[in-house]
Amino acid sequence: MSRIGRKPVEIPQGVKVAVNGLAVRVEGPKGKLEWKAHPNVTVKVDGAKVLCGRATDSKFDKALHGLTRATINNMVAGVIKPFEKTLDISGVGYNAKLAGKELHLSVGFSHTVKLPIPDGLTVTCPSQTRINVLGADKHLVGQFAANVRFVRPVEPYNLKGIKYSDEVVKKKQGKTFVSGG
């Protein structure tokens, strides 16, 4: 049996979990999430716990078993305390600003890059060089943060670009000119 899938997911006070066929719905103080489980995995609510099971012991089903449990656990955690990713922008003239439901990035291109903010996410710019992404859905938060970083990842020579706040980029030494005598 999957070691992760075998553990039940505890449902804290104030969170409702409903299973209707393959659809798992989690509601809490910080949001509502819905996810459709794979048909090879069974999900049921037993009191204040969510239990996951699987049809067979194939490698694929074992992987799905752990994935299902981890996803439901992330959903329960996300509706209590939202997930957060912080990005930093470095470079002369590089900045970010919000315009309605869009994030505008000026990162050295001849045009401003406009990224639409998905529903369910809260994006803030406390300064021109910092972006905070908050949301109950861990996958959506991570994917949007990755999309923002993909616009201009930090290059290792001048360290200009967009990076996660906890990301460490090693600076490379550039070419040096040696005059031959």
Side-chain angles (χ1 to χ4, degrees):
M1 211 175 184
S2 169
R3 291 184 192 152
I4 293 174
R6 177 173 35 204
K7 291 174 61 178
V9 177
E10 302 289 333
I11 303 172
Q13 205 74 17
V15 176
K16 295 178 193 160
V17 178
V19 178
N20 184 8
L22 298 174
V24 179
R25 186 174 175 83
V26 179
E27 287 185 43
K30 301 290 182 182
K32 299 176 189 174
L33 296 173
E34 195 167 329
W35 183 68
K36 189 175 177 199
H38 195 274
N40 293 4
V41 180
T42 59
V43 180
K44 64 181 178 183
V45 178
D46 182 31
K49 296 179 181 177
V50 179
L51 303 171
C52 300
R54 64 173 182 258
T56 67
D57 281 341
S58 71
K59 192 172 184 176
F60 181 71
D61 284 357
K62 285 180 181 180
L64 282 175
H65 189 204
L67 172 80
T68 302
R69 190 259 178 211
T71 303
I72 293 171
N73 189 46
N74 287 339
M75 291 167 68
V76 170
V79 296
I80 296 170
K81 181 179 182 288
F83 293 100
E84 180 177 8
K85 289 273 188 186
T86 304
L87 298 127
D88 290 329
I89 302 172
S90 56
V92 177
Y94 287 18
N95 62 43
K97 57 185 159 219
L98 290 169
K101 290 290 285 175
E102 281 189 331
L103 178 66
H104 291 208
L105 299 170
S106 298
V107 286
F109 297 120
S110 61
H111 61 284
T112 301
V113 179
K114 299 174 183 176
L115 295 173
I117 299 170
D119 292 335
L121 288 186
T122 305
V123 178
T124 58
C125 293
S127 70
Q128 289 185 340
T129 59
R130 180 157 279 211
I131 303 166
N132 290 336
V133 182
L134 276 118
D137 189 350
K138 187 175 188 177
H139 174 75
L140 193 61
V141 169
Q143 187 62 54
F144 184 74
N147 291 347
V148 171
R149 184 182 174 279
F150 181 74
V151 171
R152 178 69 81 151
V154 172
E155 48 92 15
Y157 294 101
N158 295 326
L159 301 180
K160 294 190 324 187
I162 304 171
K163 69 179 187 81
Y164 298 114
S165 61
D166 57 353
E167 182 179 1
V168 177
V169 180
K170 271 182 113 173
K171 185 170 168 100
K172 289 185 178 178
Q173 188 173 1
K175 293 181 180 179
T176 55
F177 177 74
V178 179
S179 67

